[in-house]
Amino acid sequence: MDRFTQHVLPEFDFSEAEALPAVERIDRCIVLARELAADYPMYDDIPPVSERSATPSELDAMESDLGVSIPPELRFFWTRCRYLCLDDGINVGGF
């Protein structure tokens, strides 16, 4: 077990990210994920970052069907891409 706990990530300064609005952090993550995805072959039929985004009318219809408002950050994310798969178990659920 000890051999698995030897690799610890170094400390990271999040102050730059924390200073940004949520929508800017989302945009930066999506851009970076698309750049990284372009460098690696797809291992299945689902690309790691969707090329299509949800339309405002789709999001409005979903809110109406569910009877709840979509949080602004999630709505913004879905207007940029429908989902994000970074790694096994590291996914942002899709629309």
Side-chain angles (χ1 to χ4, degrees), residues 36-59:
L36 293 172
D39 292 338
Y40 294 96
M42 282 185 18
Y43 294 104
D44 54 33
D45 293 335
I46 302 172
V49 183
S50 65
E51 292 300 322
R52 243 183 100 230
S53 59
T55 65
S57 60
E58 288 175 319
L59 295 170

Side-chain angles (χ1 to χ4, degrees), residues 10-77:
E11 288 189 31
F12 185 81
D13 180 8
F14 287 94
S15 59
E16 179 185 350
E18 289 172 340
L20 297 172
V23 295
E24 178 67 21
R25 291 194 305 263
I26 291 168
D27 264 346
R28 287 184 181 196
C29 288
I30 292 170
V31 167
L32 179 59
R34 285 190 172 131
E35 289 171 1
L36 293 172
D39 292 338
Y40 294 96
M42 282 185 18
Y43 294 104
D44 54 33
D45 293 335
I46 302 172
V49 183
S50 65
E51 292 300 322
R52 243 183 100 230
S53 59
T55 65
S57 60
E58 288 175 319
L59 295 170
D60 292 342
M62 186 171 92
E63 284 182 323
S64 178
D65 291 346
L66 295 174
V68 297
S69 294
I70 300 169
E73 291 86 356
L74 185 56
R75 188 179 184 95
F76 179 81
F77 172 79

